[in-house]
Amino acid sequence: MQSGELILTEQSGLPEHQLSAQVQIAKTDKRALNILLKNYMPFIKKSVAKIFSQSSVKADNLTDAMLAFVHSVNTYNKENGAFIQYAATVIRNRLLDNARREAAQKRFFSFFANNITVETFDREDDENNLRLEINSINGEFFQWGFSWQKLLKNCPKQKRSRDICLSIAETVLESPELLTSMLEKRQLPISRLAEVFPKKTLEKYRQYIVALIILSQGDYPYINAFVPHFFYEGDL
Amino acid sequence: MKGVITEINDSKSIVLFNDGKVGSIPTPKNARVGTMIKVSKSSGRIFVFAALIVALVVAFFIGRSIYNAPQGFLNISSENIEIEFTYNSFERIISARPLTQEAADFLAENSLQHEDIDNVFSPFFNTENNIFVNIADDNLERAQEIENNLSKLPAKRTPQFKIFTVELYRKNMKAERMGNFAPRHKNRHGRFRHPPF
């Protein structure tokens, strides 16, 4: 058993010295970073809720906040003080900075401007880490027999369908038996899930559901900022 | 909505969006795998704006054609001035055609286009000449209403102010005798004019 696994728990709100130790481990261990991110999701959501009140913008802000949290783990050292205060400051600064830049863009008449903007300011580290994770994910997808191109066709177009797929993925992730069975047999346990969920949905969006599970249970803390299973809209 | 580019294929890129959708977008400039993007909904606004512009232009042309559609003719004759006015459904003058040279000189001094029918007679009332009016409209009720309104106008120093209304049939342009109007005769220009008194 690795030392990282002995220390890390599923609980947040640890004493500061334990948290600092976890942060130091998470700097080099992606799995540890992922667990830290998952444990401190309530803290991240609270940081977003302190600044923004409109539910329509919270999904985008939560993505930024999660990336800022990961960034704070990578840049934290004990001279910065307590990790929680440091992370809260980094998250707050990132969110306010983004809001100011978006407000500045909206000042100009942008009806005819391109509706796709590239986030480049101060994001080189995040993009490098995302690129590394995506390369690793591509390898996992290949082993499962699909790719991003296939996911593009298989992804549900309706939000309602995507929410059902999300529920299915969460059911598998929360059941060690189902998850283990799926990883060993390299296929979704449709017959067992069909007892609870519509079989038609399970068969139609099989690849998309598997992709959600792979992204969520793997060591991809940066990509997890773009996976909706980490947050529910109702919690925001 | 934010996303990250996961694959680039020629001109299109596959993006994982933070609402769980996997979509494709035109590849942004200098984009690579791992580049984060934000997609706004401005493209929808463009179509709404364009549709609004088209609707305004169409409404303008429809309104203009309705305004300029002739509904009836008002022929005013006073001394040597004879003018044929065309009015629209709003009882406003949309064109004026002089039938005599004096009428042309009169119109050069008095621009009566877009004026209300009632205001057309003001320049004529300050003379001592007789004024004869022929109203031709395909809606008899409207023609009679115009006649009633005109009858109430003060005729200052005008010994005789007579109004004749006819119902105009657009197909064959015939006029019927209604009430106390006199038969119409053609003048030297081949136009209908009031009978000599």
Side-chain angles (χ1 to χ4, degrees), chain A residues 9-15 19 22 36 38-43 84:
Chain A
T9 65
E10 292 296 316
Q11 278 187 323
S12 59
L14 292 171
L19 179 56
Q22 282 192 15
L36 198 63
K38 196 175 166 185
N39 288 345
Y40 280 85
M41 271 311 295
F43 160 74
I84 283 294

Side-chain angles (χ1 to χ4, degrees), chain A residues 90-222:
Chain A
V90 170
I91 291 171
R92 186 171 175 276
N93 288 345
R94 175 79 67 96
L95 292 175
L96 290 175
D97 199 44
N98 286 348
R100 260 185 243 118
R101 271 192 284 131
E102 282 171 23
Q105 283 175 359
K106 278 181 186 173
R107 273 187 217 135
F108 300 99
F109 187 70
S110 60
F111 266 152
F112 301 104
N114 194 339
N115 63 339
I116 300 168
T117 51
V118 176
E119 308 263 299
T120 53
F121 181 73
D122 200 22
R123 296 299 189 98
E124 205 174 321
D125 284 342
D126 290 346
E127 288 191 5
N128 288 337
N129 284 303
L130 279 166
R131 195 174 306 114
L132 289 170
E133 287 185 8
I134 289 169
N135 287 338
S136 178
I137 288 166
N138 289 343
E140 277 212 60
F141 281 0
F142 180 76
Q143 290 176 13
W144 281 82
F146 59 84
S147 61
W148 289 107
Q149 193 70 32
K150 283 188 181 176
L151 279 180
L152 180 63
K153 292 173 190 171
N154 194 246
C155 175
K157 301 291 181 283
Q158 300 285 333
K159 186 179 180 302
R160 188 174 161 272
S161 302
R162 290 200 298 272
D163 288 344
I164 294 172
C165 293
L166 196 61
S167 301
I168 297 170
E170 282 166 1
T171 303
V172 174
L173 286 165
E174 284 169 7
S175 167
E177 188 188 344
L178 283 174
L179 184 63
T180 309
S181 167
M182 187 191 112
L183 293 174
E184 282 175 1
K185 295 178 184 176
R186 289 230 180 260
Q187 61 183 18
L188 196 64
I190 291 178
S191 55
R192 294 189 56 183
L193 290 167
E195 294 168 13
V196 183
F197 298 102
K199 195 172 182 183
K200 193 178 170 185
T201 305
L202 286 162
E203 286 171 352
K204 190 176 178 184
Y205 302 118
R206 180 176 50 85
Q207 288 178 346
Y208 177 73
I209 295 166
V210 170
L212 281 177
I213 295 169
I214 290 171
L215 294 177
S216 302
Q217 66 90 32
D219 302 331
Y220 308 119
Y222 286 89

Side-chain angles (χ1 to χ4, degrees), chain A residues 59-60 63-64 67 102 111 115-119 123 127 130-131 134 148-149 152 155 162 208 226 228, chain B residues 1-2 5-7 9 14 17-20 22-23 32-40 42 45-46:
Chain A
D60 283 352
T63 298
D64 287 336
L67 291 170
E102 282 171 23
F111 266 152
N115 63 339
I116 300 168
T117 51
V118 176
E119 308 263 299
R123 296 299 189 98
E127 288 191 5
L130 279 166
R131 195 174 306 114
I134 289 169
W148 289 107
Q149 193 70 32
L152 180 63
C155 175
R162 290 200 298 272
Y208 177 73
F226 296 91
Chain B
M1 192 166 53
K2 296 200 176 185
I5 294 177
T6 58
E7 192 174 301
N9 300 314
I14 299 174
F17 291 101
N18 62 359
D19 64 348
V22 178
R32 299 187 291 174
V33 169
T35 299
M36 288 179 282
I37 56 111
K38 180 164 183 171
V39 178
S40 62
S42 62
R45 272 185 270 151
I46 289 171

Side-chain angles (χ1 to χ4, degrees), chain B residues 165-185:
Chain B
T165 57
V166 296
E167 190 169 7
L168 183 67
Y169 292 93
R170 291 190 184 280
K171 283 188 180 176
N172 53 23
M173 300 293 286
K174 279 188 181 175
E176 286 185 353
R177 282 194 183 212
M178 303 291 293
N180 62 344
F181 76 93
R184 302 179 79 192
H185 300 278

Side-chain angles (χ1 to χ4, degrees), chain B residues 130-150:
Chain B
N130 297 332
I131 302 173
F132 300 97
V133 180
N134 278 326
I135 304 172
D137 199 316
D138 61 350
N139 185 335
L140 181 62
E141 285 178 14
R142 179 166 56 209
Q144 286 176 340
E145 191 184 330
I146 293 172
E147 180 189 355
N148 291 337
N149 290 337
L150 293 179

Side-chain angles (χ1 to χ4, degrees), chain B residues 9 19 65 94 114 120 154 161 187:
Chain B
N9 300 314
D19 64 348
S65 68
I94 56 175
H114 306 305
V120 162
F161 179 59
N187 63 7

